[in-house]
Amino acid sequence: MATTLILGATGYVGGRLAPRLVQRGHTVRCLVRDRRKAEGRPWAEGVELVEGDALAPESLRAAFAGVDIVYYLIHSMAAGRGEFEDLDRQAARNVAEAAETAGVGRIIYLGGLGSYVRDQSAHLRSRHEVGAILHGGAVPVTEFRAAVIIGSGSLSFELIHHLVNRLPVMICPRWVYTRTQPIAIVDVLHYLMEAIDIPATAGQTIDIGGPEVMTYRDMMLEIGRASCRERV
């Protein structure tokens, strides 16, 4: 089984991926900024915690040593508007270089669904740029692109759920009519895990999504019906 390193284990996807990889028999290492804060979390059982930061290249050497597969699940959206793009860019460069130096076999990256267009959001533009930087390195990359991930704890899903259940009336902004292709968290995890054993995915960019294309408005109405909320 492979030795895997997860960058972003404290996030929504990473925290669900780690225990599944352990159950499958992989040796799992997680890069965290503070080991003390990570210890005791459910996903930390059975994994090796290594302190480091993707923005501090000198801290990556120990984390990447002996690693076969790196999962890149981090982003810098918590930073100020405009700043996060620079941070995402730097982190991707640092990781690509560290992976090459350590002889990593593959990077598996979870990015954003959609093609590059001039007027796309800064967040999606940054997701695509990170993918391009990783692909430009020496280590083969498998890039999965997903839109809204459906599952308890998903930031996008919880936001929609909150709006439906808390707001009796809503003046809809333009983004409500944006078409998207939501996918369940269990399916995202399946793609991420199975890619390890499918060499043909190396060097590929793969769009993943559920069978339905819908707007955010459609999702709100569907959640309302499931929650027995009447539309007025």
Side-chain angles (χ1 to χ4, degrees), residues 141-160:
V141 175
T142 300
E143 178 180 359
F144 291 108
R145 290 180 173 179
V148 178
I149 298 176
I150 302 298
S152 177
S154 165
L155 182 60
S156 297
F157 177 72
E158 293 292 349
L159 173 61
I160 297 170

Side-chain angles (χ1 to χ4, degrees), residues 208-230:
I208 57 176
E212 295 182 80
V213 178
M214 58 178 61
T215 65
Y216 286 90
R217 177 181 181 275
D218 294 331
M219 283 190 281
M220 289 179 179
L221 293 175
E222 189 63 36
I223 291 173
R225 283 190 289 268
S227 304
C228 297
R229 297 277 180 176
E230 287 190 20

